[in-house]
Amino acid sequence: MTADRDAPPAPGRALLWGGAVTLLAAALRLAWVLAVPTVPVSDFAMYRESANYLSEFSALDPGFIYMPGFVILLAAVKNLGGDLLAQKLLGVLFGALGAAGVFATTLHLFDAGARGDRRGCATAIAAGLVYALWPAGIAMSSVVGTDVPAAALMLVATGCLAGLGARRPVAAALAFGALMGLAAYLRAVALPLAGLGAFYWMATRRSLRTTAKLAALSVAAALLILSPWAIRNRVREGEFIFTDCHGGITALIGTNPNSEGTYTRALNRLFQTVTGHSVLDEPHKAVDRAAYRMATDWARFEPAYALGLAALRAQRLFDDEQYLLYWPIYRPGVLVLPNDGNDGNDGNDGDVGFFQRHRAGITGACDGVGVGLLVAFLAGLALAAVERRARAFVLLPFQAALAATYIVFFAEPRYRIPIEILAMPVVAYAVVGWARALIAAGVKGGGAIRRRVGCAAALAALLVGAVFGLAPRAQAAGAELRARHRWAVAVWTVDGQSRVARWRRARGDGARGGVDLLRGAPEGVRIQPPEHEAAVVEVALDAGDLPAGNYRLRATVSATARATLAVAAPDGAASPAIVVPLAGEAQETTLDGIIHHQGGPFRLLVTAAAGTGALVGRETKGPPGATLPPAVIWIGSAAVTRT
């Protein structure tokens, strides 16, 4: 690939257009914030609560485990007398800043030296308009959160990198690193991206030595900006920590098999029961590391299921565009009803009723915009590859790093906001570049030009077909992995100590049938054996190696229909199986028996089947000709004690 080193666009014209699109973005977002009253919920309410504590006590609350930047801004607004509306204006401010960042980044990556328009800024104007008119971006401006502010600072950082890089590389590297450090005060994921400025230096044909030096300067600048936070953590946590203390907790949520990687309060309860610490306890870093160790252990326990969860996280991250409207519009309670004393059934329900009545049209239009952005992004990459524009790919590593981080740890649709904004320069290049290419091919009619356009069109079609064709296949493959390798966790008591019991289908058990076999909760596990077939599951206790000997197992069990449950050691030779017939109708009974353990990790085999006849191996025997109803078996409150 080649690098363009022509003169940048005329600064006066660029400044005029940049200011115009920035003002347009600010005006649209301000109009939205004023017209659509919302209240912070969930994570966003937590930010305000933390800001209130900071404002009152001049310190972060003891349970705060996130980056402090946005909370500090909210507290500053409150200290100046601002209310919720003033705090939401931060979304307008950063939304406008994002427009400036998108414009500047596009200007210097695509318009500086653009063939045929050496002193224009058409691509930057298109990028600014795409960002300013982006429906999801406008809606998210009313959400008091960190997603848009962090993304805005990232784009300003890349704009400074590309704008200063040609003439003042050292200043560009320092400015880029410092701004990424500021972005990291909002979202810690921005810190590792400070080193990715190396891709810009490589695209502009700097030597490897120069590239390494400039990238190191950026990382050093980011760490310097974050040093006050690291010093505070040294005093508070006992070590220098430049980021926050909830990465391990996030990873634990993302690997939770009981909820398929979504947040539940039950996971907090399980973690506290097993470790003795709440996820918000101090020292935060020690608790976070404990959570990370548990998450790593869970991922290793069933790697195929972990891969299926990664596919699910990728699906959530890149889900339909309409899901970006959940937090600002469609989450229950986020929109404020008019204070008119009605119950919402008389038609005078304000914004809530409007958005519900027009939900199909709004979400459909939003999804259409999302698909259009994706197609244009892929078409822009194809055209840039054929035209050998190295700088068009500078932002791609940032997007890939962000996507990989969220897919590995935890993902929600709103986490892709910076990824989507980073795509807008390429989207604008697709609009302007393809228009120029088609005009050139039609007017000049040269064979070389037409061949280039044809190659770009073929590559774009290939990319679009691959993405839209492979994405459903990847989702289906992930769902299949999760169904075939689903497992569950619960809490058992081992000699008075709370331990994690990990349940999964026993190796070699062929009872598939698409049955949702296992579901877990802190108090126990639900087993639903296949119809007319016994299911064998394995229980592994996270209790380390236990000495050989006899252990008493007690547990409460019940079933929705007649069923049989048998528990035995894996070898089955040293002690007979504990067999419990279940009467059904959720009548609770007690499983009580002795298991001989030969030493080492403690594991059990649990065989469950519908019917109350004799259970021998994998076969169930009931009355001749009987039809056995499906049974859901619950096993909970288990305790293992050495006798």
Side-chain angles (χ1 to χ4, degrees), residues 147 150-151 154-155 399 402 406 414-423:
D147 303 285
M154 290 181 195
L155 266 297
Q399 296 171 288
L402 288 168
Y406 294 130
R414 63 185 175 90
Y415 289 0
R416 78 157 182 267
I417 286 176
I419 301 174
E420 199 159 342
I421 296 177
L422 284 163

Side-chain angles (χ1 to χ4, degrees), residues 228-240:
W229 176 244
I231 293 171
R232 178 263 184 193
N233 289 333
R234 177 67 177 85
V235 175
R236 186 91 179 196
E237 301 285 335
E239 56 185 304
F240 286 101

Side-chain angles (χ1 to χ4, degrees), residues 307-549:
L307 184 59
L309 275 185
L312 182 60
R313 288 191 291 270
Q315 179 182 345
R316 288 171 180 161
L317 182 64
F318 296 108
D319 216 332
D320 293 340
E321 188 86 355
Q322 63 175 283
Y323 293 105
L324 294 181
L325 303 181
Y326 174 74
W327 293 106
I329 300 177
Y330 291 117
R331 190 188 193 279
V334 71
L335 290 176
V336 181
L337 284 168
N339 188 20
D340 58 1
N342 75 78
D343 59 2
N345 296 321
D346 60 359
N348 186 25
D349 50 0
D351 299 293
V352 178
F354 173 83
F355 288 116
Q356 290 298 337
R357 288 193 300 272
H358 299 87
R359 182 163 186 166
I362 293 171
T363 56
C366 195
D367 286 344
V369 171
V371 172
L373 290 175
L374 176 57
V375 171
F377 175 69
L378 297 174
L381 291 180
L383 183 62
V386 171
E387 291 190 347
R388 297 189 300 168
R389 283 180 167 267
R391 285 186 288 187
F393 297 89
V394 166
L395 302 179
L396 202 57
F398 293 83
Q399 296 171 288
L402 288 168
T405 300
Y406 294 130
I407 290 172
V408 169
F409 286 89
F410 180 76
E412 284 190 5
R414 63 185 175 90
Y415 289 0
R416 78 157 182 267
I417 286 176
I419 301 174
E420 199 159 342
I421 296 177
L422 284 163
M424 290 180 181
V426 179
V427 169
Y429 173 66
V431 174
V432 176
W434 273 103
R436 288 172 173 167
L438 292 174
I439 291 173
V443 174
K444 298 180 181 179
I449 296 176
R450 291 183 176 178
R451 282 193 297 271
R452 284 201 304 271
V453 172
C455 289
L459 181 56
L462 180 63
L463 290 176
V464 172
V467 169
F468 285 92
L470 295 178
R473 294 176 181 269
Q475 294 174 12
E480 175 68 14
L481 284 174
R482 296 191 301 276
R484 292 175 63 88
H485 300 276
R486 188 180 306 282
W487 64 289
V489 292
V491 176
W492 280 22
T493 302
V494 182
D495 286 333
Q497 298 288 325
S498 296
R499 301 292 184 184
V500 173
R502 298 171 294 186
W503 296 69
R504 66 180 170 190
R505 190 187 299 273
R507 301 308 187 201
D509 178 50
R512 303 294 181 185
V515 174
D516 191 6
L517 181 66
L518 285 171
R519 286 290 180 180
E523 298 83 5
V525 167
R526 188 203 73 177
I527 303 176
Q528 184 178 353
E531 187 177 1
H532 305 305
E533 194 173 358
V536 182
V537 296
E538 176 188 87
V539 187
L541 288 180
D542 183 18
D545 292 342
L546 296 181

Side-chain angles (χ1 to χ4, degrees), residues 253-285:
I253 296 171
T255 56
N256 182 14
N258 292 353
S259 64
E260 286 211 325
T262 57
Y263 171 76
T264 62
R265 293 184 179 180
L267 180 62
N268 293 349
R269 189 165 68 252
L270 183 149
F271 182 79
Q272 186 168 13
T273 301
V274 173
T275 65
H277 296 285
S278 164
V279 294
L280 301 180
D281 282 349
E282 295 183 290
H284 296 309
K285 197 60 182 180

Side-chain angles (χ1 to χ4, degrees), residues 252 271 275 277 285-295:
L252 186 62
F271 182 79
T275 65
H277 296 285
K285 197 60 182 180
V287 173
D288 192 55
R289 285 174 178 149
Y292 185 78
R293 286 192 297 269
M294 186 178 289

